[in-house]
Amino acid sequence: MTLSELLSNAKHAVVLTGAGISTLSGIPDFRGVGGLYSRTDIDANKLFDIDYFRRDPSYYYRHSKDFLYNLDEKEPNIVHKALARLEEKGILHAVITQNIDLLHQKAGSHKVLELHGSPMEHYCMKCGRTWDFETIAEKVRADEIPTCDKCGGIVKPRIVFFGEGLPEYDLSEAEREARKADLMLVLGTSLTVYPAAAVPELTLQCGGQVAIINRDPTHLDRYACWTARDLKKEFEALEI
Ligand code: ZN
């Protein structure tokens, strides 16, 4: 069985993506070697902690400047591009992602459900005013800490921080798609973080198949109809 065969046999394919697909675009996996959690100069738990952010948003902005506010320099890779193409052909119905790097949208995917939110939009925590990524990124790159120019409130990215609720719409849509899917393709995630890890479980519970491409084994490998390890190799061989 090949990836091309799996996808051409599917009637409602959905994909779940994680950090492993963005490493091909030069974005280190937060939890991997060279990622945020391995850095000694940044405390990743503090960086994305909502209580800490409310007290001192400057910690987040100063330390995420070099890996979040330069995302416009990163380009989608062969996997992001193939997924956009599969959606256009009507084969893929949704991209559910744990990533906050905006590369699916940049590749041209339309239905992207972001379980951990997104830095695409920033908002004032006091009055609700919103700004796009580029406006805020310009300030952050100039070492400014953005504040609301209307009310002086704290400006926060719409990324889900520790201690915050999940984006309701994206999560419920992801669950709906997971139940409907006859094929859930899991790409570049070790399925250790919930709620993402529960997404392919829903597909299995509803009688759909799960296929997994990830560098390391996952706890769902033994329930999968197909597994592979090398994303780049599989997508280079994709004939759709
Ligand atoms: Zn405001």
Side-chain angles (χ1 to χ4, degrees), residues 137-176:
E138 235 173 74
K139 289 185 197 290
V140 177
R141 286 192 291 245
D143 293 321
E144 275 178 55
I145 307 303
T147 51
C148 178
D149 36 23
K150 206 166 119 196
C151 78
I154 294 174
V155 174
K156 185 187 172 291
R158 230 175 262 288
I159 296 167
V160 179
F161 279 33
F162 299 118
E164 279 193 305
L166 294 160
E168 275 172 41
Y169 172 81
D170 291 67
L171 184 60
S172 65
E173 267 301 290
E175 288 173 350
R176 205 176 62 86

Side-chain angles (χ1 to χ4, degrees), residues 16-32:
L16 171 69
T17 68
I21 77 159
S22 293
T23 52
L24 296 173
S25 289
I27 298 173
D29 180 346
F30 279 7
R31 290 181 165 74

Side-chain angles (χ1 to χ4, degrees), residues 12-176:
H12 194 101
V14 174
V15 67
L16 171 69
T17 68
I21 77 159
S22 293
T23 52
L24 296 173
S25 289
I27 298 173
D29 180 346
F30 279 7
R31 290 181 165 74
V33 177
L36 197 56
Y37 282 83
S38 69
R39 286 174 63 162
T40 49
D41 56 331
I42 302 179
D43 180 347
N45 292 316
K46 191 163 138 184
L47 191 72
F48 289 115
D49 183 274
I50 189 62
D51 293 325
Y52 197 86
F53 184 80
R54 281 177 201 278
R55 287 200 299 274
D56 177 18
S58 72
Y59 188 84
Y60 162 80
Y61 283 112
R62 275 188 286 122
H63 290 96
S64 61
K65 179 182 154 190
D66 296 334
F67 69 92
L68 261 177
Y69 293 95
N70 62 353
L71 281 176
D72 44 341
E73 295 162 14
K74 305 289 181 190
E75 292 301 328
N77 61 56
I78 183 171
V79 182
H80 298 104
K81 288 177 192 163
L83 296 179
R85 196 168 71 237
L86 288 165
E87 182 186 22
E88 203 181 291
K89 288 178 185 279
I91 296 168
L92 191 64
H93 290 258
V95 173
I96 303 167
T97 189
Q98 296 169 271
N99 299 340
I100 52 169
D101 54 34
L102 312 173
L103 291 180
H104 285 301
Q105 291 91 334
K106 205 169 180 182
S109 285
H110 294 286
K111 182 147 187 184
V112 182
L113 302 166
E114 299 171 296
L115 298 180
H116 296 170
S118 160
M120 184 82 97
E121 187 176 88
H122 285 62
Y123 67 98
C124 171
M125 294 178 86
K126 209 162 149 192
C127 77
R129 191 176 166 195
T130 61
W131 297 267
D132 61 14
F133 174 82
E134 204 33 65
T135 308
I136 300 298
E138 235 173 74
K139 289 185 197 290
V140 177
R141 286 192 291 245
D143 293 321
E144 275 178 55
I145 307 303
T147 51
C148 178
D149 36 23
K150 206 166 119 196
C151 78
I154 294 174
V155 174
K156 185 187 172 291
R158 230 175 262 288
I159 296 167
V160 179
F161 279 33
F162 299 118
E164 279 193 305
L166 294 160
E168 275 172 41
Y169 172 81
D170 291 67
L171 184 60
S172 65
E173 267 301 290
E175 288 173 350
R176 205 176 62 86

